[in-house]
Amino acid sequence: MIRINENYAKLKASYLFADIARRVGAYTAAHPDKPVIRLGIGDVTEPLPPACVEALHAATDEMSKRATFKGYGPEQGYAFLRDLIAKHDYADRGCKIEADEIFVSDGSKCDCGNIQEIFASDVRLAIPDPVYPVYVDTNVMAGRTGANIDGRYQGILYLDSTASNGYVPAVPQAPADLIYLCFPNNPTGAVATRAQLEAWVAYAKLNKAVILYDSAYEAYIRDPRIPHSIYEIEGARDVAIEFRSFSKTAGFTGTRCAYTVVPKTLMAFDAAGKPQALHPLWNRRHTTKFNGVSYPVQKAAAAVFTEAGKAQVKGLTDFYLANAHLIRESMTRLGFSCVGGDNAPYIWINVGRDSWDFFDLLLEKAQVVCTPGAGFGKCGEGHVRISAFNSRENVEMALSRIADALK
Ligand code: PLP
């Protein structure tokens, strides 16, 4: 008799964004005359940078000719893209990352979801709360947790991110083996200082642990003191894997390109306590289960590193950050305390009441969709996330409607 993976039954009833879509769907069906502005899901709205579009067209033309046609490429990504990433994202920031330590993929969601496969099934997990749900749910599916009791899975060491620690968790007293960190953070928009990251690297060394560092929003950092990569911290090569994505950097959410860095010096341990390099494990996993990102998409991603591409990406992220500034200023003026929005496209707003109630209030009174903080974890209760990914016109209209609704 075929049996299901019963770990799936432990997952909370539905995915956050499915719940939001259901409520918004019900509202728009009942009020077809009231257009809704979506500042909920973190999807970009602006088109691809022209440099990327040009590269996509040129690469598509190459695919149309026998002489330049490409079939399967290297699973880990073409050397032209890995070399550019190593130079611009790492060497130029003083980080020692080699091109062959970079694995190009079709998204950070898959990478942060799949990475847990290369670790033992009984590793001790430390995961922030609130959090991008993928880190938790993929470990639940893999059977690393117990039941969800009162909003928390048994077996996870939750790292509370609250107003009292500036939404950046300090290292815990208890030991952990696999630590998820995300800065600039989704959902809070908080960033970690160099000293805070140094403490995490020291903790990982002490505990022989691995940090999974998600820096999908790195391109939004404007404060020059804030590290863009965990590898800017001395010794991080030996304890951290880093995830990056072109999604929020260059509008690739629908184009799909990302990468994961697994340094060759990064070790985990076998049952006998002997160090084993993680690079060959991830290489094995990646080449067995993934067949590479398409050539035109990798060419488009490479265009991000041209002079024109860099300027266009800066323009794009500046545009969303200006939206974020408007949102934070307006919500602060309405009396809410907010974080994020200065080095991240998300604003995390302490609404001081049930987050789904506030979500319903904004939907019904202002026809604006935000994301209820409770959907990101227990510590998200009392907060909502507003995303800066929208047109200026929509952001301004949403803020004016919110101000009217909350008068
Ligand atoms: N990591 C974080 C923190 C995110 O918020 C997202 C997307 O919203 C991703 C990863 C996924 O990015 P990608 O589009 O590369 O799958």
Side-chain angles (χ1 to χ4, degrees):
M1 182 175 61
I2 182 68
R3 292 193 38 217
I4 59 161
N5 175 352
E6 293 193 29
N7 292 312
Y8 278 63
K10 295 179 200 159
L11 292 166
K12 285 214 293 182
S14 66
Y15 189 60
L16 166 66
F17 294 108
D19 272 357
I20 294 175
R22 193 176 40 75
R23 290 191 196 211
V24 175
Y27 181 83
T28 49
H31 306 89
D33 53 322
K34 293 193 170 168
V36 161
I37 300 175
R38 291 163 204 272
L39 298 178
I41 296 184
D43 194 2
V44 295
T45 53
E46 303 308 299
L48 289 176
C52 300
V53 176
E54 213 175 288
L56 257 180
H57 280 301
T60 309
D61 286 343
E62 285 185 64
M63 297 298 265
S64 73
K65 299 180 192 93
R66 184 173 296 276
T68 48
F69 170 78
K70 306 265 183 308
Y72 290 125
E75 291 99 335
Q76 302 90 338
Y78 283 101
F80 66 77
L81 179 56
R82 298 168 92 197
D83 288 345
L84 285 169
I85 294 168
K87 176 182 176 344
H88 293 272
D89 283 349
Y90 294 107
D92 287 357
R93 289 200 180 277
C95 307
K96 289 192 194 75
I97 294 298
E98 301 298 329
D100 64 357
E101 296 176 316
I102 295 162
F103 295 84
V104 176
S105 79
D106 62 354
S108 273
K109 187 183 204 175
C110 325
D111 289 349
C112 344
N114 291 327
I115 196 78
Q116 45 78 28
E117 281 184 29
I118 63 170
F119 299 101
S121 55
D122 58 353
V123 294
R124 295 166 296 183
L125 299 166
I127 305 185
D129 177 356
V131 76
Y132 179 52
V134 173
Y135 315 150
V136 175
D137 289 359
T138 52
N139 278 292
V140 174
M141 291 169 176
R144 282 197 189 83
T145 72
N148 187 312
I149 297 175
D150 197 18
R152 287 196 154 176
Y153 291 98
Q154 304 295 294
I156 294 179
L157 172 61
Y158 285 93
L159 306 169
D160 291 355
S161 310
T162 61
S164 65
N165 57 20
Y167 300 95
V168 178
V171 300
Q173 295 297 321
D177 305 311
L178 192 60
I179 304 142
Y180 288 78
L181 295 178
C182 171
F183 295 109
N185 190 261
N186 175 13
T188 68
V191 287
T193 63
R194 180 172 292 277
Q196 286 166 326
L197 293 180
E198 280 169 354
W200 276 109
V201 168
Y203 172 89
K205 285 207 156 164
L206 183 71
N207 290 285
K208 295 188 170 157
V210 166
I211 295 171
L212 301 176
Y213 194 75
D214 185 346
S215 61
Y217 297 95
E218 155 288 320
Y220 290 84
I221 296 173
R222 291 295 180 270
D223 183 338
R225 295 164 302 178
I226 299 297
H228 288 238
S229 165
I230 188 81
Y231 304 121
E232 289 178 50
I233 308 302
E234 183 75 34
R237 267 189 66 84
D238 303 331
V239 292
I241 289 173
E242 181 161 285
F243 305 97
R244 290 261 186 114
S245 173
F246 292 92
S247 282
K248 310 301 162 76
T249 302
F252 272 52
T253 54
T255 305
R256 311 305 301 147
C257 196
Y259 64 86
T260 289
V261 181
V262 186
K264 291 185 178 164
T265 50
L266 174 63
M267 301 288 153
F269 299 85
D270 63 17
K274 201 169 148 227
Q276 300 287 346
L278 286 171
H279 184 277
L281 262 67
W282 184 247
N283 190 53
R284 188 75 168 88
R285 191 267 166 214
H286 195 73
T287 53
T288 301
K289 295 195 178 183
F290 184 67
N291 240 348
V293 175
S294 79
Y295 175 72
V297 168
Q298 291 192 60
K299 277 289 191 184
V304 164
F305 300 106
T306 59
E307 282 315 307
K310 279 185 187 175
Q312 290 158 12
V313 160
K314 170 83 170 35
L316 199 57
T317 48
D318 277 349
F319 169 77
Y320 291 127
L321 283 168
N323 283 349
H325 181 72
L326 290 176
I327 296 166
R328 182 161 172 168
E329 211 177 45
S330 173
M331 296 308 285
T332 305
R333 221 178 305 121
L334 290 170
F336 297 105
S337 85
C338 306
V339 286
D342 37 11
N343 294 290
Y346 298 122
I347 299 91
W348 187 241
I349 303 161
N350 189 337
V351 292
R353 69 186 98 168
D354 181 90
S355 66
W356 277 106
D357 283 354
F358 193 80
F359 169 91
D360 287 335
L361 175 83
L362 286 198
L363 180 59
E364 279 156 30
K365 296 265 176 352
Q367 293 78 49
V368 171
V369 181
C370 64
T371 312
F376 297 104
K378 218 171 171 171
C379 293
E381 190 45 277
H383 296 73
V384 298
R385 185 192 77 177
I386 294 189
S387 147
F389 294 124
N390 220 310
S391 64
R392 183 65 40 78
E393 190 189 0
N394 275 351
V395 167
E396 284 171 350
M397 191 185 306
L399 293 174
S400 134
R401 286 193 203 165
I402 293 173
D404 286 346
L406 297 180
K407 249 180 212 153

